[in-house]
Amino acid sequence: MRVKGQNSVDKKSILQFGKQEERSILDLFPYKSCTEEGVLVTKEDHFQRYYRVVSTDVEGLNEQEKLERMNQLTTVMRTYVPTIKLVSLTTETDLTEQIVQKRQLLDKNRMEQSLGRNLQRLRKYEKKLVEEIQELKRAEQERPDLSFFFVIEGKTNKDLQTRNRQLMRSSGILGLKPLYKKELIKILYRMNNMNDE
């Protein structure tokens, strides 16, 4: 039975219906480009900037310091007029500063050993430093770090710079650090590949 006005189904269209269109992951990404300073240009030609909130050991703070940090976060959220996003995710732990400090101590220790004084004590200290460096390297590879980021956006680059100044003024002791291209790419990769640990 045929219904009036209904056309026969084209077999080619049925086959195409189930076929997935091959697209690059870059087509799905909401960004066109990124400058060396870490300013992202979105597909809508807006500008975005990511800032890392410096993590603090909250358990180690006294009540006054905790209150100051909470008040500072409240101030940012109340005084920063344009929209702001707060993103949290686990990232690789970056202990390069601590490793560099331990290596400097190790070099200093080896220099003192070459002078020939207190060799037994210096060798024990050297062994301890080597173990600490290895532990830091292992922690970098095995333990993720919970990180927080503020994301701001502007319609123009000048608008973004104005919002940048406003955010930095209101953030105070939160210690916001802008992300530059190299680190930002890692963060964006992690945000878009949540199963990749």
Side-chain angles (χ1 to χ4, degrees):
M1 180 169 143
R2 229 177 138 152
V3 179
K4 188 177 179 183
Q6 186 178 16
N7 296 335
S8 63
V9 179
D10 184 12
K11 288 184 181 180
K12 188 176 180 183
S13 66
I14 292 175
L15 296 175
Q16 286 181 343
F17 178 72
K19 184 179 177 185
Q20 293 182 357
E21 181 182 337
E22 288 191 30
R23 293 170 54 183
S24 167
I25 191 68
L26 297 176
D27 294 336
L28 303 174
F29 226 52
Y31 306 109
K32 287 200 293 190
S33 64
C34 180
T35 66
E36 289 298 321
E37 293 79 33
V39 176
L40 292 163
V41 180
T42 67
K43 288 189 176 180
E44 294 85 25
D45 289 324
H46 292 174
F47 296 84
Q48 275 188 358
R49 190 77 200 254
Y50 279 69
Y51 299 87
R52 180 185 293 271
V53 179
V54 176
S55 59
T56 306
D57 179 17
V58 180
E59 298 299 322
L61 299 176
N62 64 35
E63 290 303 315
Q64 178 64 32
E65 291 171 327
K66 286 181 188 178
L67 188 61
E68 285 175 4
R69 292 201 178 273
M70 286 190 295
N71 287 340
Q72 193 68 60
L73 184 59
T74 304
T75 301
V76 169
M77 294 307 189
R78 283 187 178 170
T79 61
Y80 187 77
V81 177
T83 57
I84 186 169
K85 283 194 273 184
L86 181 60
V87 177
S88 67
L89 59 112
T90 56
T91 57
E92 293 177 346
T93 305
D94 183 18
L95 299 173
T96 49
E97 253 182 66
Q98 291 87 340
I99 291 172
V100 166
Q101 289 174 353
K102 294 290 181 185
R103 283 191 175 145
Q104 288 172 348
L105 289 173
L106 187 61
D107 291 342
K108 184 179 175 184
N109 183 342
R110 288 179 177 161
M111 185 67 93
E112 288 180 21
Q113 282 184 33
S114 67
L115 298 175
R117 294 183 231 130
N118 298 323
L119 282 178
Q120 187 176 7
R121 183 179 59 82
L122 290 173
R123 287 186 181 143
K124 282 182 183 178
Y125 186 54
E126 178 181 3
K127 185 178 177 183
K128 181 182 177 231
L129 286 172
V130 169
E131 288 173 2
E132 288 175 357
I133 291 171
Q134 289 172 347
E135 181 62 34
L136 287 170
K137 286 181 180 179
R138 195 171 21 260
E140 254 187 343
Q141 294 172 353
E142 296 173 359
R143 297 186 187 143
D145 188 18
L146 180 60
S147 301
F148 297 92
F149 305 93
F150 279 133
V151 184
I152 63 171
E153 188 171 309
K155 290 185 178 179
T156 64
N157 200 9
K158 186 176 180 182
D159 187 28
L160 183 70
Q161 290 173 359
T162 303
R163 291 176 179 189
N164 171 49
R165 286 191 296 275
Q166 184 183 4
L167 179 63
M168 296 309 275
R169 249 192 330 265
S170 65
S171 65
I173 60 171
L174 292 179
L176 298 183
K177 292 188 177 179
L179 296 180
Y180 293 96
K181 186 175 183 176
K182 187 177 179 181
E183 188 179 1
L184 180 59
I185 288 171
K186 290 179 185 178
I187 298 305
L188 292 175
Y189 176 84
R190 178 73 181 103
M191 286 176 64
N192 291 284
N193 294 285
M194 295 302 275
N195 291 331
D196 187 28
E197 285 282 341

